[in-house]
Amino acid sequence: ALRRSVIEWLMINHPHDCPVCDEGGECQLQDFTIAGGHGMRRYDGRKRTYSNQFLGPYIEHEMNRCIQCYRCARFYQEYAGGTDFGTMGRAAMIYFGRQQDGQLESPFSGNLVDICPTGVFTDKTARFRARYWDYDMAPSICPHCSLGCNTIPAARYRELLKVMARRNDAVNGWFICDKGRFSNAEVNAAERPRQPLVDTEPATRDQALDTLAERIKGFLELHGPDSLAIIGSPRMSLEGNIMAARLRDVLNAGTLSFFCDTEQNTRALEATEKLTHRTSASLNDVRSADLVAIAGCDLPNDAPMMALAVRQAWRNGARIYRIGENPAAGDRFQTALHEATHAASLADVPLTEAARPVLICGTGTAREAIPTVSDAVKLAFILDGPNSFACAVLSREHGAVSLAEALAAGTIKGILAFEADVADDLPANIQVLAAADWRATSLIQRAEIVLPTTAWVEMEGTFVNNEGRAQRFKRVMQPGLPIKGLDPAGHPPHAFRKTAPGGEPAPAWQWIALLIEHMGGEPSDVLLSGRWEQLTQLDPEKDGLSVLTKG
Ligand code: SF4
Ligand code: SF4
């Protein structure tokens, strides 16, 4: 009865506008109102109303729906260190917003959408596109940095509409950053590769693969086995990278690369060599550390959730040290996150005085600066992609070198690139035999044969995050052109077809498996994803992939 009364009291001022509210269907207040049986409004006075603010392109503001729970202000200011949003007001007129209209400055502002128990903050990018029960959803992993935050992407009609945080206490906790939440529009782009191409002409999968197999054979006969580079990528799934290595073994030719840049390659190799089960620091280890030393990091940009984890350690009393130059010096938001003491070198940090020290090495940490520390100090490396750790392990296992190194050797005359971010200055005399990608990269424009791959939300796979935690992502939606983008004259379709329009993309690992088959190798239709025993057995030394942790 008490709860019922509280709900009725909350609903005195809350608008009865569920049918036109974007939160309807995923609203905690709506759930409790229905659970409490509140259906009739007995109070007939005027409702309290407010003006809304423009909060930027991502967050819609509708203050009349506020029930003054203070969750938003506590998260934004206390948990995330934001200073441009808060509570204003007097007596019963409490306002949650900014001092004036303007984009929210915090790189974690999107969490307001998940946190607010009513529809005050909703995701503007997905506004009025679907109700909660319309979504295709599945557990997924953020691909935008090496931390591997857990997410739930939501799609409808082959269009990725929004991404929500998924709780994982060892990794991201309850939250994700705005980069992970709002940087996904590329998946829906009509112009991304969606059709196999041979010399810019549309082709079927078999035509493309037959032609590619023939051209690879001819190329190797003409130029020799050392002339081909097979390039995997830290943004491709573990399964795709494993298949790239298998392709090299089947061809018994070619130089294998998982990184284009030598510095990235070296740093990832160093990181995987130094990390063990004992020394690898999860985000939760950082949050509960009592001393954090940061070297060569621009955390708010390179790994935002790591910056948030450091703030939680600082709020709990940890001492924070910043070693050497700070690439993000002057960044107002970084300064607001936590106070830090400057240390000239690691020797100036009192690591031995701490019970739970963590050392964070960033992408700006030069190889020689990566320190050797005792097992008592946990280490976190910020790497260059969602799967850098796995690529480094595979690199070591298969003797791969970076593409830059391979090119410098002077024997490479052609490349096969799988979701690889090859620099635009790839020499013009290097033949791009094929490029497989779901992004419309400049390499795709140059490739003789284009193999369209699925984005991470359109397939199952595995990413291994910066601490060596192997995490699976599930397929959220079918590949294909979003219905919204189809020519209205062509929809609904009048001819039967087995795939959706633009639905030709396949996972990169599957393209490589099919290519191996077309080249006369053993058919390999086994989906490695989730077969942990197979993944761990791939390293006979048991010191490579066996360092992975399921998470
Ligand atoms: S979280 Fe939502 S309901 Fe709670 S105080 Fe903030 S705006 Fe109001
Ligand atoms: S911190 Fe990295 S992995 Fe986590 S949500 Fe942000 S971009 Fe994605």
Side-chain angles (χ1 to χ4, degrees):
L2 173 68
R3 283 186 182 157
R4 195 187 175 109
S5 303
V6 170
I7 290 164
E8 184 171 10
W9 162 64
L10 290 174
M11 293 304 291
I12 282 177
N13 279 305
H14 188 86
H16 286 58
D17 67 349
C18 297
V20 294
C21 173
D22 216 21
E23 188 84 355
E26 49 188 318
C27 173
Q28 284 173 297
L29 182 63
Q30 188 182 45
D31 290 347
F32 278 102
T33 303
I34 291 166
H38 171 68
M40 294 299 295
R41 186 166 181 260
R42 290 187 289 169
Y43 170 74
D44 61 0
R46 283 169 68 104
K47 286 182 188 255
R48 184 179 50 204
T49 56
Y50 302 88
S51 302
N52 301 321
Q53 285 185 322
F54 169 77
L55 296 178
Y58 302 125
I59 311 278
E60 187 70 29
H61 192 218
E62 177 58 61
M63 250 312 284
N64 289 344
R65 298 180 184 140
C66 179
I67 56 169
Q68 281 80 32
C69 71
Y70 284 72
R71 272 188 188 186
C72 54
R74 288 180 58 202
F75 167 80
Y76 199 92
Q77 295 186 338
E78 295 173 25
Y79 196 89
T83 53
D84 63 314
F85 170 96
T87 316
M88 290 162 280
R90 173 175 66 83
M93 290 299 286
I94 307 292
Y95 193 84
F96 294 86
R98 302 182 83 243
Q99 293 230 334
Q100 56 191 11
D101 283 17
Q103 180 159 356
L104 291 165
E105 291 174 7
S106 168
F108 310 104
S109 64
N111 290 298
L112 295 180
V113 174
D114 293 349
I115 285 169
C116 179
T118 79
V120 179
F121 303 107
T122 48
D123 188 331
K124 203 181 256 185
T125 62
R127 196 153 197 243
F128 298 143
R129 299 299 308 283
R131 286 289 181 206
Y132 194 70
W133 49 84
D134 295 322
Y135 292 135
D136 297 326
M137 291 185 281
S140 190
I141 302 297
C142 175
H144 294 294
C145 84
S146 63
L147 299 186
C149 293
N150 291 210
T151 59
I152 303 177
R156 192 186 190 198
Y157 298 144
R158 302 192 297 267
E159 183 178 2
L160 180 59
L161 291 177
K162 65 178 181 180
V163 172
M164 296 168 278
R166 179 162 62 96
R167 182 182 173 191
N168 184 331
D169 289 339
V171 188
N172 51 305
W174 291 88
F175 308 114
I176 56 173
C177 77
D178 287 0
K179 183 159 65 162
R181 191 182 293 267
F182 296 122
S183 308
N184 303 301
E186 222 178 339
V187 173
N188 301 325
E191 61 276 10
R192 72 174 243 215
R194 293 186 182 273
Q195 164 82 45
L197 300 175
V198 175
D199 299 327
T200 70
E201 292 298 322
T204 64
R205 284 187 187 183
D206 281 340
Q207 285 167 345
L209 288 165
D210 282 339
T211 313
L212 179 57
E214 265 174 40
R215 288 191 187 177
I216 291 174
K217 280 179 192 157
F219 180 88
L220 291 174
E221 275 167 24
L222 185 65
H223 298 294
D226 296 334
S227 57
L228 183 68
I230 298 167
I231 314 165
S233 157
R235 69 175 165 88
M236 182 161 65
S237 69
L238 172 61
E239 292 77 3
N241 283 303
I242 287 172
M243 291 307 287
R246 194 173 287 174
L247 174 64
R248 202 272 309 262
D249 293 346
V250 168
L251 291 178
N252 198 21
T255 303
L256 191 60
S257 297
F258 293 104
F259 296 88
C260 293
D261 179 73
T262 306
E263 188 59 42
Q264 285 183 5
N265 192 1
T266 312
R267 201 165 39 233
L269 278 170
E270 289 272 332
T272 50
E273 268 164 26
K274 287 209 156 63
L275 291 177
T276 64
H277 280 298
R278 273 179 57 77
T279 57
S280 180
S282 67
L283 282 174
N284 196 43
D285 290 327
V286 176
R287 286 191 286 269
S288 44
D290 61 351
L291 185 150
V292 181
I294 307 168
C297 298
D298 176 5
L299 288 182
N301 285 317
D302 294 341
M305 288 301 290
M306 184 64 86
L308 198 58
V310 175
R311 175 172 168 81
Q312 305 324 309
W314 176 73
R315 288 178 68 215
N316 293 330
R319 287 171 292 167
I320 314 294
Y321 289 85
R322 196 167 283 290
I323 303 166
E325 280 187 26
N326 175 9
D331 179 317
R332 192 163 79 79
F333 195 80
Q334 169 150 309
T335 319
L337 276 176
H338 54 75
E339 289 165 8
T341 308
H342 180 262
S345 72
L346 188 61
D348 299 328
V349 179
L351 288 169
T352 49
E353 290 174 15
R356 299 177 306 282
V358 174
L359 172 61
I360 304 172
C361 299
T363 50
T365 315
R367 181 186 181 188
E368 57 280 6
I370 294 178
T372 303
V373 287
S374 77
D375 268 11
V377 181
K378 291 217 168 202
L379 286 167
F381 288 91
I382 308 303
L383 302 175
D384 297 280
N387 223 0
S388 283
F389 192 103
C391 284
V393 172
L394 289 169
S395 253
R396 206 169 56 227
E397 191 179 322
H398 293 276
V401 295
S402 73
L403 177 63
E405 261 178 89
L407 290 173
T411 57
I412 301 297
K413 294 197 163 43
I415 63 170
L416 290 174
F418 299 100
E419 298 188 351
D421 293 313
V422 178
D424 288 349
D425 60 1
L426 180 74
N429 61 347
I430 301 290
Q431 196 178 340
V432 184
L433 287 160
D437 213 324
W438 63 271
R439 287 184 168 162
T441 61
S442 55
L443 199 69
I444 287 284
Q445 311 298 327
R446 220 179 121 171
E448 293 173 11
I449 294 175
V450 172
L451 306 175
T453 62
T454 46
W456 81 105
V457 285
E458 297 161 339
M459 60 181 281
E460 279 194 20
T462 311
F463 285 146
V464 184
N465 79 352
N466 66 323
E467 48 167 323
R469 183 184 300 270
Q471 303 185 105
R472 294 191 65 207
F473 50 91
K474 299 279 193 172
R475 186 165 80 172
V476 177
M477 63 186 204
Q478 299 276 355
L481 277 167
I483 286 182
K484 186 182 161 211
L486 293 181
D487 173 9
H491 185 79
H494 299 293
F496 176 77
R497 49 183 300 158
K498 284 185 179 167
T499 55
E504 284 298 311
W509 71 263
Q510 206 170 45
W511 278 117
I512 306 172
L514 289 170
L515 177 60
I516 290 173
E517 208 178 318
H518 280 249
M519 302 223 44
E522 284 289 306
S524 172
D525 54 358
V526 179
L527 177 62
L528 289 167
S529 188
R531 304 195 175 214
W532 299 104
E533 65 291 347
Q534 284 194 25
L535 291 173
T536 49
Q537 280 164 15
L538 285 168
D539 180 6
E541 301 289 312
K542 283 279 176 233
D543 65 350
L545 287 172
S546 57
V547 303
L548 305 182
T549 312
K550 278 191 265 177

